Amino acid sequence: MLIVMSAEATAEQVEAVCAHITRLGFEPRPIPGGQRTAIGIVGNPGALEPGPFVELPGVLRAIPVSSPFKLVSREWQAADTVVRLPNGVAIGGGNVAVIGGPCSVETEAQVMAAAEAVARAGGGALRGGAWKPRTSPYAFQGNGEAALKLLRQAGEAFGLSTVTEAIDHESALQVAQYADVIQIGARNMQNFALLRLVAGLGRPVVLKRGMAATIDEWLLAGEYLLAGGCRDVILCERGIRSFDPRTRNVLDLAAIAVARALTHLPIIADPSHGTGVRDMVIPMGRAAIAAGADGLIVEVHPRPQEALSDAHQQLRPGQFVELMTAVRTIAGAIGRTVQAAG
Ligand code: PEP
Ligand code: MN
């Protein structure tokens, strides 16, 4: 429920409505606007009747929030959320940024070379996995804390903010200590305990869409983060599972347009995991920007053929340059600004 106060409502009337909501056992969230104040209600388990709220002095309207989510919704906040990374790069609200880097941080030389390639080509942030959620328990699982240290070193060397995945409680605490942005992977999108924990760690979060998650489930996972106190959430479409093995997943570009209408949160796309095929990454990255994505997260490796994970989809540095050139052209054509580090 969203309570819209009349333009003439006094501060006392706003306070009285908030106190009434608190007495009902719910939480009032006042949103002061240029013309009038709106008050969101959170913590109510089900739909509320608008009637009794409209009776309160100073209330203009009580709008039942039709969607199952609240804090992530456009009804709650009309203006785009812009997430600003520590290096000054902005994502959302017309600002497009590309996060590039290896699937996993393997060696110092590898991550430094990847970071240099990303920074030189105009990328905005560095990605690199430290804990890898692999399908097989025998596959490379990531270098853990040692990888976090190397990622931070490479980010600092090239002015790139860093993004890396947390897979559980312990890794989340370490990621928050070393990295600028915490990534929640597709497989953990509905790990609600992890979402609750990560929401309180004071870092922006990239929330990947689960490979079989509906758009509403994805937004509700975002709702967990916002309800837990994290404002800087970046949604990431990374492909959903379908029937054709020619691509690993189907990068759902319509989901970007759908989510854009429903939520104020920035939305980026991951054409690397979305396709699983190196030659598909540039065309689908271009398409995602054209579809209105606020950025991309892309795997880049100095020597992809030697990669310990996702060797088939990581871009070579020269291909990343090609992608960035296309991103600048397409973003410019639709009135967006590409954010580079430094
Ligand atoms: C990744 O970005 O490294 C990753 C594992 O992605 P996803 O969770 O989308 O599979
Ligand atoms: Mn990968």
Side-chain angles (χ1 to χ4, degrees), residues 102-104 127-134 164-165 167 183-189 206-211 236-239 248-249 270 272-274 297-299 309-310 313:
C103 178
S104 26
R127 64 149 288 151
W131 285 273
K132 300 305 303 176
R134 306 304 301 282
T164 192
E165 179 169 352
I167 57 166
Q183 179 176 317
I184 296 295
R187 291 157 192 81
N188 271 315
M189 188 204 84
V206 168
L207 178 64
K208 296 272 195 114
R209 179 182 178 189
M211 63 188 82
C236 178
E237 162 58 40
R238 50 77 71 200
R248 190 175 176 187
N249 291 296
D270 176 348
S272 304
H273 294 90
I297 183 164
V298 174
E299 291 189 343
S309 55
D310 284 345
Q313 71 192 33

Side-chain angles (χ1 to χ4, degrees), residues 88 107 130 133 179 221 288-289 306 327:
T107 65
I289 296 298
E306 292 170 16
V327 165

